[in-house]
């Protein structure tokens, strides 16, 4: 069955508070959804789409909570506007998509067996971050992967 997002948010926050490595993961309740934001320091090295040990631990905690809910889940990858250096990813879009896919695979590994919609936004939502933030904080928040839990089954467009 679907779970109330107002119930799930404090459950997740309590789990994250119990683990020193997971403190600082952002959990935000928005209209119709709950967003769990994994800033880059939790999940990936710069320019990489391979989950770090901290990222794997975060997904274990998140996945354990999500395996028993019927809510739709999607994973959204984001980047800052800086183009990636020469390497495996020719653009921020590919990097953001591969990071989202890595998180979706991580959720599967911990037992979340329902479909997960996976999207790469690259720097497309950078402008939504407050310009009042310190520049380094704004860039760090831009490089994140969001796990979005919808309010009910079928709510994802």
């Amino acid at each position: 069955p679907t779970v109330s997002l107002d119930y799930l948010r404090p459950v997740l926050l309590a789990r994250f508070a119990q683990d020193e490595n997971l403190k600082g993961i952002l959990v935000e309740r928005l209209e119709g959804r709950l967003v769990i934001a994994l800033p880059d320091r939790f999940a990936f090295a710069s320019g990489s789409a391979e989950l770090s040990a901290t990222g794997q631990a975060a997904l274990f905690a998140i996945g354990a909570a999500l395996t028993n809910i019927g809510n739709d889940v999607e994973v959204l990858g984001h980047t800052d506007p800086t183009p990636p250096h020469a390497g495996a990813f020719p653009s921020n879009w590919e990097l953001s998509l591969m990071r989202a896919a890595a998180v979706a695979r991580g959720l599967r590994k911990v037992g979340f067996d329902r479909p997960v919609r996976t999207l790469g936004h690259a720097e497309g939502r950078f402008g939504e971050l407050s310009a009042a933030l310190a520049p380094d904080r704004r860039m760090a928040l831009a490089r994140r992967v969001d796990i979005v839990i919808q309010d009910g089954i079928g709510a994802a467009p």
Side-chain angles (χ1 to χ4, degrees):
T2 61
V3 173
S4 163
L5 300 181
D6 293 324
Y7 165 79
L8 186 58
R9 183 177 186 272
V11 169
L12 291 173
L13 289 172
R15 282 190 186 200
F16 299 159
Q18 292 174 1
D19 188 332
E20 191 65 38
N21 292 322
L22 303 179
K23 288 183 181 174
I25 289 178
L26 307 172
V27 181
E28 188 173 8
R29 176 72 162 95
L30 301 173
E31 187 175 328
R33 64 196 185 282
L34 183 68
V35 179
I36 303 166
L38 299 170
D40 65 339
R41 69 182 179 89
F42 281 101
F44 303 98
S46 179
S48 170
E50 185 174 330
L51 273 169
S52 67
T54 304
Q56 291 174 15
L59 286 182
F60 185 80
I62 295 165
L66 299 184
T67 56
N68 296 318
I69 68 170
N71 303 59
D72 285 339
V73 173
E74 60 185 12
V75 179
L76 313 174
H78 303 272
T79 66
D80 65 38
T82 308
H85 300 293
F89 305 102
S91 73
N92 278 331
W93 176 75
E94 282 98 346
L95 177 58
S96 68
L97 183 59
M98 291 297 97
R99 285 181 170 182
V103 169
R105 278 191 307 276
L107 289 174
R108 286 236 184 271
K109 285 182 182 177
V110 297
F112 189 81
D113 61 356
R114 294 191 18 264
V116 176
R117 185 176 187 187
T118 307
L119 302 166
H121 287 292
E123 68 277 3
R125 293 198 171 165
F126 182 74
E128 295 174 9
L129 296 171
S130 173
L133 291 169
D136 58 334
R137 175 77 171 139
R138 190 171 189 222
M139 292 295 267
L141 284 174
R143 297 182 301 264
R144 70 186 188 283
V145 174
D146 293 335
I147 299 171
V148 181
I149 305 159
Q150 300 295 333
D151 207 9
I153 294 177

